[in-house]
Amino acid sequence: MSAVAHLNVPDRLILGVESSCDETGVALVSVPQDGEVRLLAHALHSQIDMHQAYGGVVPELASRDHIRRVVPLVRQVMKEAGQPLSAVDVVAFTQGPGLAGALLVGAGVACALGVALGKPLLGVHHLEGHLLSPFLSADPPQFPFVALLVSGGHTQLMRVDGVGSYQILGETVDDAAGEAFDKSAKLMGLPYPGGPHLSRLAAHGRSDAFELPRPMLHSGNLDFSFAGLKTAVRTHLVRLGWLDALPSPDDEGAQAMLADLAASTQAAIVEVLVKKTLAALKETGLKRVVVAGGVGANASLRYQLNDACRRRHIRVHYPELHLCTDNGAMIALAAGMRLQAGLAQATRDPVFHVKPRWDLSAI
Ligand code: KG4
Ligand code: ZN
């Protein structure tokens, strides 16, 4: 009898809206009572081209662009999923952390949609979205696991025992790993966001060519510090006379040396991330690790971590490459998994307040 009743419960459709920084993301997922959340459609507009001229994100321009993009993206997603807007059961949106104005656009549109459709709303923590995003991959993880969360603004190691059970084991005391990539890349004259550009340049360089510090590698805890690395990169560039005038693209010798510096920088960041992750696995005794956030797209990090974990019989899970950086799918997914776990309730009160600063341990 109960099995029949269970079969009759239709999947809930959750629309997710992400607008915390420089990507507008919208997605529709289908959430069964229990079992895997399924991605039905998602669409993304990246503002990278717009911000590139300024060397970084301009918050006011980001907000204005989110306003332009979000409604067409919602239409596109519903069309791709072959569903009318009225089929949406819950409207989820990124409530924080992020840029206040940018968050307000997503929250405002989600609230307007919720009120217009008579459907409840759910605010989602952006980092929980990143953390759970590997559950949309072809090789989803199982709880418990160690999570290495490496985004543009955060670097954290966590013990994750289930949805909503996040224990911070260590985090950065200054710059995040993504910031270390971006700031070093900027010093090397690479476009914003520097991470992928530095990684491409590093592919042509020697990773042992420049001596760079491995900050806090032997600190005895699981915290990170990356600010000193950027200063060391700067010092090398000053010594080479390249800080204000980078070498000409025709100077092959100098370009090769710049690639060496990029490779050495990447190697320093990756070594610290891998070794601290291994230490977290040892400390917790867990045999599974999940990597999430934009830096999780880095090929060298994936290679080194996979190699180290294979030798220790540890499973590593990543989000699909296109879901490593910000997207709406992870927001709809996190909302779905929280609702499934009974940890959140969607509300019919428009949730117009956003949380630009919001600790993951406070959710
Ligand atoms: O998670 P994310 O999209 O945004 C935040 O929530 O912060 O992460 C963006 C960060 C940027 O610092 C970007 O440079 C970095 O991820 N990133 C990479 C790569 N792709 C993105 N860093 C290194 N290698 C990559 N392939
Ligand atoms: Zn993010």
Side-chain angles (χ1 to χ4, degrees):
M1 182 69 189
S2 66
V4 173
H6 176 80
L7 281 177
N8 285 336
V9 177
D11 288 3
R12 274 196 284 190
L13 295 189
I14 301 186
L15 186 71
V17 178
E18 155 64 30
S19 71
S20 66
C21 190
D22 56 354
E23 250 115 22
T24 322
V26 176
L28 188 73
V29 297
S30 140
V31 185
Q33 249 201 335
D34 49 43
E36 280 169 23
V37 174
R38 260 187 333 118
L39 180 60
L40 301 182
H42 86 113
L44 191 73
H45 176 78
S46 170
Q47 303 178 351
I48 284 177
D49 290 348
M50 183 180 77
H51 295 296
Q52 218 154 41
Y54 306 92
V57 179
V58 183
E60 181 60 24
L61 292 183
S63 310
R64 287 168 189 239
D65 201 59
H66 286 307
I67 293 174
R68 274 196 291 274
R69 307 291 174 182
V70 68
V71 172
L73 287 176
V74 168
R75 286 210 183 96
Q76 185 183 332
V77 162
M78 299 313 296
K79 193 173 168 203
E80 265 172 39
Q83 296 283 350
L85 257 178
S86 57
V88 170
D89 294 296
V90 175
V91 184
F93 62 95
T94 306
Q95 197 169 13
L99 301 170
L103 288 166
L104 273 168
V105 175
V109 169
C111 288
L113 269 174
V115 170
L117 299 169
K119 298 294 164 69
L121 295 144
L122 186 57
V124 172
H125 195 293
H126 179 83
L127 294 181
E128 186 173 40
H130 276 302
L131 189 66
L132 298 176
S133 59
F135 282 91
L136 287 174
S137 73
D139 177 29
Q142 282 169 5
F143 298 112
F145 52 77
V146 164
L148 172 67
L149 190 61
V150 271
S151 67
H154 292 81
T155 299
Q156 293 177 328
L157 276 164
M158 270 176 263
R159 182 193 165 103
V160 179
D161 284 291
V163 180
S165 176
Y166 312 130
Q167 182 198 345
I168 308 254
L169 303 170
E171 59 190 327
T172 182
V173 297
D174 43 51
D175 287 354
E179 258 175 306
F181 269 107
D182 294 347
K183 289 179 177 174
S184 303
K186 196 170 185 177
L187 289 169
M188 293 177 212
L190 299 172
Y192 156 86
H197 291 281
L198 189 145
S199 168
R200 271 195 287 279
L201 183 60
H204 308 289
R206 290 170 301 142
S207 57
D208 58 353
F210 284 86
E211 212 169 293
L212 288 167
R214 270 57 175 161
M216 291 183 82
L217 194 56
H218 304 293
S219 61
N221 61 22
L222 297 173
D223 287 338
F224 303 86
S225 163
F226 289 108
L229 181 62
K230 164 200 68 196
T231 310
V233 169
R234 192 173 195 282
T235 306
H236 280 299
L237 287 167
V238 169
R239 195 174 47 78
L240 291 161
W242 291 346
L243 191 64
D244 297 317
L246 282 157
S248 135
D250 303 329
D251 185 341
E252 282 181 21
Q255 288 303 328
M257 219 188 279
L258 204 56
D260 286 347
L261 185 57
S264 303
T265 306
Q266 175 172 268
I269 299 171
V270 166
E271 184 180 335
V272 177
L273 292 175
V274 170
K275 289 203 168 146
K276 292 270 176 175
T277 303
L278 294 177
L281 286 157
K282 198 169 172 197
E283 190 175 301
T284 56
L286 295 174
K287 290 282 179 198
R288 196 180 288 276
V289 60
V290 157
V291 182
V295 180
N298 184 269
S300 172
L301 173 64
R302 287 185 176 218
Y303 180 83
Q304 307 277 348
L305 192 64
N306 288 347
D307 188 49
C309 288
R310 192 179 311 113
R311 284 187 272 121
R312 291 168 177 80
H313 306 289
I314 289 163
R315 290 286 312 274
V316 196
H317 301 264
Y318 302 90
E320 299 291 338
L321 261 184
H322 68 285
L323 297 181
C324 275
T325 44
D326 295 347
N327 62 82
M330 68 184 197
I331 300 306
L333 168 82
M337 289 183 77
R338 283 189 85 76
L339 289 169
Q340 243 182 358
L343 289 171
Q345 254 189 324
T347 169
R348 285 183 187 273
D349 283 339
V351 203
F352 273 109
H353 70 282
V354 292
K355 302 177 185 179
R357 288 174 173 274
W358 189 9
D359 214 275
L360 185 57
S361 51
I363 61 171

